[in-house]
Amino acid sequence: MDILIQNLLNGLQWGSFYALIALGYTLVYGVLLLINFAHGDIFMVGAYIAFFVATAFLGFMDFAPWMVLALTVPLTMILTAGVGVTIERIAYRPLRRKGAHRLYVVITALMCGLILENGNLALLGASRKKFPELLDKVVYTFGNVSVTNLKIIVIFAAIAVFLLLQFIVTKTKIGMAMRGISYDKFAIPLMGIPIDNVIVFTFVLGSGMAGLAGLLFAMSYPILEPYMGALIGWKAFIAAVVGGIGDIRGAFIGGFLLGFIEVGVVALFPSTFRDLFAFSILLVILWIKPTGIFGVAKTTKI
Amino acid sequence: MKKLIIRSLLALMVLGLALIVVSGCSKKEEKIKIGFNIPLTGDIPKVGEASKNAAEMLLADINAQGGLEVGGKKIPLEFFYEDNESKAESAVNVALKLIEQDGVVAIIGPNSSKQAVPAGGTCNDNRTPMVSPWSTNPDTTKNRPWVFRAAFLDPFQGPVAVNFATKQFKAKSAAVLFDISNDYSKGLAEIFKEVFEKKNGASSIVAFESHGTKDQDFSAQLTKIINSNPDFIFVPDNYNQVALIVKQARDLGYKGPFMGSDAWGSAELMKLCGDDCKGQFFSTHYAAAGAKGATKKFIDRYEAKYGETPDDVAALTWDATRLVLQAIQDAGSYNSDLKAERKAIRDALSNIKEFAGITGSMKFDSQGDPIKCAVVVRIDENGNFVFAESVCP
């Protein structure tokens, strides 16, 4: 029983990261029908930005760690959003203006991801970075179950982000515009909606969440390397597809589902079976419902 | 017409290149070329960096004297550093490039067994002597007359860890967490399990868990381990994973000790792991704190030059490279024919019976493996690796 609860918590934490990253995939896909394969690497950039922001505050200003954390969260999200918007501006928008097929935009996204990874490797070197401790770690123990305050924060952050995005997309004007673009990219500008601004806003949201995920990830697994975003990005993308890409609930559920399956498989079988089983299960889900759990056949998404 | 111009231009370029090559060759000064097959990027970049630092130091030393004295003639050295990205397949490619393109007489590295085992096969097949500084897996040199090493073997290191931990922690049970896709980690974990169970009974290894190289979350494995209530956890993993594993185990409420292996001993371990690793023990090749004689001199010079204490990889690379240089000198004269020189180095290497390295003196057995002492170090409150015990075969 204890093991079950402990693994449930482990799965919740691991799934939170998938969910946070999957939300970024789903937002951009929902609006642009573009699979932004650079998103995993934007998450990596977010972790590095958080590292530099946090060490800068700790080093130059001599602030208390909790104050550093309070400053690092918004700054990381803003700066990472800047990176996402820059990529949209220099890579995706020109292609969109020229009316390039979606396929080429996806390939451009893949390239952007590789540029971010290798740019990081070239600029910062292969040596790993250690993320500073911003939070006094407290381990709460109930019987055989242990949970840290950080774990709780991570899980609540994922839920809060989900609720916030759900609210923005379904209840606000700009959310309505996003859904509108997803419905018909050509008719929407005729209604006087600035399509570029809405797309930029989408990238701000998605990349900002990736920045937050990067910061929380760096706090939970405090060793940064240039390729840390690649695999987790791919897996989060798969989670988003299983949940039904384009749907925010789908990304959220899909992320946690993958987290639970991965932790569950390792808990029951040797670790070599993890990805084999995890992705076989996801394959079966897609087999039964090819559009994903919350997916709708391509009409409106998001 | 256009085609003709392009063709003639191309022909000119080829001619020009040929001229450069020919003139380059005719003027070429004789140099002893040694290749380094090391991980400068990938999972363990610090290992490659330490290797390169030590090699650069040695190179500067010898070339400052005009070169290596072979048979009364001084020949300068030239080192080729190639990055194997910590990958097995890249290590093989790097070995081939060094052998075929750069024409080196011997190869130092790869360091980790994951790369040294496949690269050793390549070097053996291509009849090029290879000395691995850090690889401890028996398969690296097994039945490979052209492959040597400067480190002790896992069948020796495993029992050292078992005996020390049993004594130090009064342990009756242990758990193991290892990297299943790494020859080194997997091999050592299996040896440890065998030896520990022989000593403490069949079910004394209460959990034997694995993970993949790219994994970042070990909570499911650690939950199983902690629930089986071991006296200590044996983690034969690379330093970057150690930092994550130890921290996550503490987060999950584990308060007991860890025992590590020589892959912990990187200068970067404490930077990544911090307070969580303090007080833990691991077996390794040498202890920098409290060293004497030639070892102390090496450590001081390295510290002055690079601003950090040399880890075991740096010291072992120094020894491995000096072994090759010793072999070149022992061979008596330098052969400009590459094949003959490689053969001469191999023969001389296999004839070295005893060698005083800065990681201790070593004797070589028929397999090309050194018989040398291991030390167990403790990570003290300041993060220094302090000598705890020395075990000799």
Side-chain angles (χ1 to χ4, degrees), chain A residues 19 28 31 52 72 99 185 268 298 301:
Chain A
V28 172
V31 173
F52 286 115
T72 307
K185 212 160 43 172
L268 295 174
K298 190 191 156 191
K301 288 225 166 176

Short mmCIF file of all heavy atoms in Angstrom, two decimals, chain A residues 19 28 31 52 72 99 185 268 298 301:
data_model
loop_
_atom_site.label_atom_id
_atom_site.label_comp_id
_atom_site.label_asym_id
_atom_site.label_seq_id
_atom_site.Cartn_x
_atom_site.Cartn_y
_atom_site.Cartn_z
N ALA A 19 3.17 16.87 -18.59
CA ALA A 19 1.95 17.64 -18.81
C ALA A 19 2.29 19.09 -19.16
O ALA A 19 1.74 19.65 -20.11
CB ALA A 19 1.07 17.58 -17.56
N VAL A 28 0.24 25.35 -29.51
CA VAL A 28 0.71 25.75 -30.83
C VAL A 28 0.03 24.93 -31.90
O VAL A 28 -0.38 25.45 -32.94
CB VAL A 28 2.25 25.61 -30.91
CG1 VAL A 28 2.73 25.84 -32.33
CG2 VAL A 28 2.91 26.60 -29.98
N VAL A 31 -3.60 26.12 -32.50
CA VAL A 31 -3.79 27.36 -33.24
C VAL A 31 -3.28 27.25 -34.67
O VAL A 31 -3.94 27.65 -35.62
CB VAL A 31 -3.10 28.52 -32.50
CG1 VAL A 31 -3.13 29.78 -33.33
CG2 VAL A 31 -3.78 28.74 -31.17
N PHE A 52 20.87 30.61 -15.15
CA PHE A 52 21.65 31.85 -15.20
C PHE A 52 21.00 32.95 -14.37
O PHE A 52 21.68 33.69 -13.67
CB PHE A 52 21.85 32.31 -16.65
CG PHE A 52 22.85 31.46 -17.37
CD1 PHE A 52 22.50 30.67 -18.45
CD2 PHE A 52 24.18 31.42 -16.94
CE1 PHE A 52 23.43 29.87 -19.09
CE2 PHE A 52 25.11 30.63 -17.57
CZ PHE A 52 24.73 29.86 -18.65
N THR A 72 13.01 34.56 -9.91
CA THR A 72 13.41 33.70 -11.01
C THR A 72 12.21 33.19 -11.80
O THR A 72 12.26 33.11 -13.02
CB THR A 72 14.23 32.50 -10.49
OG1 THR A 72 15.29 33.01 -9.69
CG2 THR A 72 14.82 31.71 -11.63
N GLY A 99 3.35 31.10 -47.53
CA GLY A 99 2.36 30.06 -47.76
C GLY A 99 2.96 28.67 -47.90
O GLY A 99 2.45 27.84 -48.65
N LYS A 185 -8.14 30.00 -40.64
CA LYS A 185 -7.06 30.95 -40.64
C LYS A 185 -7.29 32.09 -41.63
O LYS A 185 -6.72 33.16 -41.52
CB LYS A 185 -5.80 30.18 -41.04
CG LYS A 185 -4.56 30.66 -40.45
CD LYS A 185 -3.39 29.73 -40.42
CE LYS A 185 -3.14 28.92 -41.66
NZ LYS A 185 -1.87 28.20 -41.57
N LEU A 268 7.12 -2.35 -11.42
CA LEU A 268 6.73 -3.75 -11.50
C LEU A 268 7.72 -4.61 -12.28
O LEU A 268 7.87 -5.79 -12.01
CB LEU A 268 5.35 -3.87 -12.16
CG LEU A 268 4.20 -3.25 -11.36
CD1 LEU A 268 2.92 -3.30 -12.15
CD2 LEU A 268 4.02 -3.99 -10.04
N LYS A 298 -10.49 16.18 -37.17
CA LYS A 298 -10.06 17.54 -37.47
C LYS A 298 -11.18 18.49 -37.89
O LYS A 298 -11.57 18.55 -39.04
CB LYS A 298 -9.00 17.48 -38.56
CG LYS A 298 -8.30 18.79 -38.80
CD LYS A 298 -7.47 18.69 -40.05
CE LYS A 298 -7.26 20.08 -40.61
NZ LYS A 298 -6.70 20.02 -41.94
N LYS A 301 -9.98 22.63 -33.19
CA LYS A 301 -9.14 22.07 -32.13
C LYS A 301 -8.85 23.17 -31.12
O LYS A 301 -9.13 24.32 -31.37
CB LYS A 301 -7.85 21.53 -32.72
CG LYS A 301 -8.10 20.25 -33.51
CD LYS A 301 -7.06 19.23 -33.17
CE LYS A 301 -7.50 17.86 -33.67
NZ LYS A 301 -6.48 16.88 -33.44
#
